[in-house]
Amino acid sequence: MQQAPFPTIFPETAAVSEAGHLVIGGCDTLQLVAEFGTPLYVFDEVTLRGRCQEFLREFGDRYPEVRVIYACKAFVNRAVLRLLAEEGLGLDVVSAGELAVARSVEAAMDRVYFHGNNKGEDELRPALDWGIGRVVVDNFSELALLERLCAERGTVQDILLRLSPGVDPHTHAYTTTGITDSKFGFPLATGQAVEAVHAAQAASHLRLVGLHMHLGSPIFEVEPYEEATRAGIRFAAQMRDASGLDLREFSPGGGFPIQYVRERPATPIAAYAEPITRILLEECRAAGMAPPRLVLEPGRAIVGRAGVALYTVGARKDIPGVRSYVAVDGGMADNIRPALYEARYEAVVANKALETPAERVTVAGKYCESGDILLRDAELPRLTTGDVLAIPASGAYCLAMSSNYNQATKPAVVLVRDGQARLIRRRESLEELFQYDVL
Ligand SMILES: *Cc1c(COP(=O)(O)O)cnc(C)c1O
């Protein structure tokens, strides 16, 4: 066995066999493809567990009380949710659907947080029925709705308020959330955050236990978290003085990055944990406040690196003097990120992992959109039909955003560890594609 190419992008256990095959979790990816077909998403259990432990350790070693909740919109799968719960993670859900999945794996409800800018009554009711731990209230409409629902049932719900701190995390506009002109949260800049605290305190069926902010994703810089944490604690101190706010929880959200391409390494978790915890402790000391429980909400950083997408190479189109296109049997239906926000990836030919690059090609998907391109100008060994292309860092926001466009069936997913592969999502069947149509 040799080290895999891009060792910081592929899962921790990735290696290359004597035969030049990419191996993940002790499993030869060519054998996985023979057994499960392509497109196939492979998740490495060691990397998944390692990322959970890293968050708990890096923040927990520096701060008295830390809770890590997995933002399951990054990749929802029951087996993975079970595994993350075993590692001690709570859950962040954003819909009745995610809530239903969480319930189906009997997630510890006191550690489930409900997010979203438009939670419907049909979503809040089951959440309350289930006894959800926290509702993170996003706007004044929701505050009124939740108070009414809780009053009807005569219960008191713990809530956090989502603030919009006016911090630009310098990521794609579509994934920037903490600026004042955002659909999410109560802006600090306009005074609406103050109003929201007063309204929450006045609501007799809501107990305001904390403040939350989520700035965007992925955030490669540390400064936005520093700025937002400082602003959040200062705001909490101001509200304690103004109306007795008792800040028991504080969350700077998620958004922690992973490495996708060789020239942009991911900032390590410790580099976020150190300043966030230090600023929290400093600001609380300065304000004479007890440090609140720190709640982190990583999604991408937990599952992103653990997942590798495997595709089979099909057609080629060489346009002399222009470009060579190589098409694979997946694309925007299973990974829309390149088409949606020009996301970039690396790739390795799983059956030629020891070969050096011999050509520059553009890897196209198979769907009917010119924008369905997975990689532009990739330097790869000469590709022929039947080769298997592996794209690392595919664990987050790929399958989670997948569609049935062109009536594509959703890929199978396997979890690998110690040479064993366990199917954790079977491939969708053709019949399942039209099961909801009514004639
Ligand atoms: C999406 C989201 C997260 C997770 O973001 P990642 O970039 O996947 O870590 C955390 N908190 C909230 C409120 C979110 O909307």
Side-chain angles (χ1 to χ4, degrees):
M1 290 281 190
Q2 298 193 16
Q3 193 182 47
F6 313 122
T8 53
I9 306 180
F10 271 98
E12 283 169 38
T13 65
V16 176
S17 70
E18 310 276 282
H21 293 182
L22 177 68
V23 173
I24 303 168
C27 295
D28 183 319
T29 53
L30 277 297
Q31 279 169 19
L32 294 177
V33 166
E35 184 173 354
F36 300 103
T38 52
L40 180 67
Y41 276 73
V42 181
F43 280 79
D44 179 47
E45 186 170 334
V46 167
T47 303
L48 279 175
R49 291 190 189 275
R51 296 299 279 169
C52 298
Q53 290 158 12
E54 187 180 350
F55 266 93
L56 287 167
R57 184 179 64 242
E58 295 296 350
F59 282 92
D61 284 355
R62 295 176 165 96
Y63 195 80
E65 201 188 347
V66 169
R67 176 174 280 179
V68 179
I69 64 176
Y70 169 57
C72 76
K73 71 176 191 275
F75 174 55
V76 202
N77 173 273
R78 300 175 73 203
V80 168
L81 294 188
R82 280 250 164 93
L83 189 151
L84 301 183
E86 275 173 31
E87 292 297 332
L89 268 54
L91 270 186
D92 151 359
V93 300
V94 298
S95 67
E98 288 186 358
L99 188 69
V101 181
R103 290 186 67 168
S104 80
V105 293
E106 293 162 11
M109 61 193 177
D110 59 313
R111 284 188 291 164
V112 180
Y113 288 57
F114 197 0
H115 280 282
N117 71 311
N118 186 22
K119 305 178 192 74
E121 199 171 317
D122 57 332
E123 297 181 298
L124 288 169
R125 279 188 195 281
L128 296 173
D129 287 343
W130 189 35
I132 192 145
R134 307 274 186 272
V135 176
V136 185
V137 175
D138 207 278
N139 52 60
F140 289 108
S141 318
E142 184 186 344
L143 203 56
L145 171 61
L146 188 62
E147 166 63 14
R148 174 167 67 76
L149 296 180
C150 294
E152 276 172 17
R153 56 182 71 210
T155 55
V156 175
Q157 175 64 42
D158 285 346
I159 65 165
L160 272 64
L161 292 178
R162 176 163 179 170
L163 305 181
S164 171
V167 173
D168 187 345
H170 306 129
T171 186
H172 195 284
Y174 293 179
T175 54
T176 292
T177 58
I179 55 172
T180 301
D181 183 4
S182 163
K183 71 171 181 173
F184 295 108
F186 297 99
L188 281 182
T190 60
Q192 285 161 300
V194 173
E195 241 180 278
V197 169
H198 291 316
Q201 288 176 322
S204 46
H205 299 86
L206 305 179
R207 182 166 46 228
L208 177 58
V209 298
L211 300 173
H212 167 275
M213 37 184 86
H214 173 68
L215 307 174
S217 177
I219 308 174
F220 284 81
E221 299 163 25
V222 174
E223 293 75 17
Y225 290 96
E226 298 179 342
E227 210 182 310
T229 301
R230 198 170 281 123
I233 299 301
R234 289 187 182 172
F235 174 72
Q238 177 197 331
M239 295 316 296
R240 178 208 47 195
D241 297 343
S243 59
L245 171 71
D246 177 16
L247 186 75
R248 285 189 262 158
E249 285 193 10
F250 175 78
S251 176
F256 307 99
I258 60 165
Q259 186 174 2
Y260 285 99
V261 288
R262 67 191 100 178
E263 65 275 15
R264 194 163 204 202
T267 315
I269 298 311
Y272 295 91
E274 193 284 319
I276 291 173
T277 55
R278 177 173 41 77
I279 289 169
L280 259 176
L281 292 169
E282 277 170 13
E283 291 291 330
C284 286
R285 196 178 320 114
M289 274 170 30
R293 171 190 286 144
L294 171 59
V295 182
L296 288 317
E297 301 177 339
R300 185 191 315 271
I302 298 291
V303 292
R305 183 180 169 194
V308 176
L310 299 175
Y311 301 98
T312 301
V313 171
R316 272 191 80 107
K317 175 179 176 182
D318 298 292
I319 313 169
V322 178
R323 181 183 295 280
S324 288
Y325 287 96
V326 170
V328 295
D329 59 353
M332 66 185 288
D334 61 272
N335 183 357
I336 201 173
R337 297 186 66 255
L340 186 62
Y341 19 71
E342 298 178 335
R344 289 165 55 237
Y345 289 92
E346 300 288 354
V348 163
V349 185
N351 53 313
K352 298 176 177 170
L354 295 175
E355 289 182 27
T356 48
E359 61 175 358
R360 175 176 294 178
V361 295
T362 288
V363 178
K366 63 172 289 159
Y367 303 106
C368 299
E369 295 277 329
S370 289
D372 177 26
I373 300 291
L374 286 173
L375 292 99
R376 274 177 210 284
D377 298 327
E379 308 270 353
L380 293 168
R382 168 109 194 144
L383 284 166
T384 50
T385 304
D387 283 342
V388 172
L389 194 77
I391 301 189
S394 295
Y397 302 107
C398 294
L399 290 178
M401 291 192 183
S402 65
S403 76
N404 292 118
Y405 183 52
N406 293 176
Q407 294 300 89
T409 53
K410 294 196 179 181
V413 184
V414 294
L415 184 67
V416 293
R417 178 186 167 168
D418 297 334
Q420 303 287 317
R422 186 178 138 213
L423 186 68
I424 58 168
R425 184 182 164 91
R426 62 175 176 76
R427 186 175 305 284
E428 202 171 16
S429 71
L430 292 178
E431 291 70 30
E432 281 164 330
L433 285 175
F434 46 82
Q435 64 181 333
Y436 303 112
D437 285 357
V438 180
L439 281 178

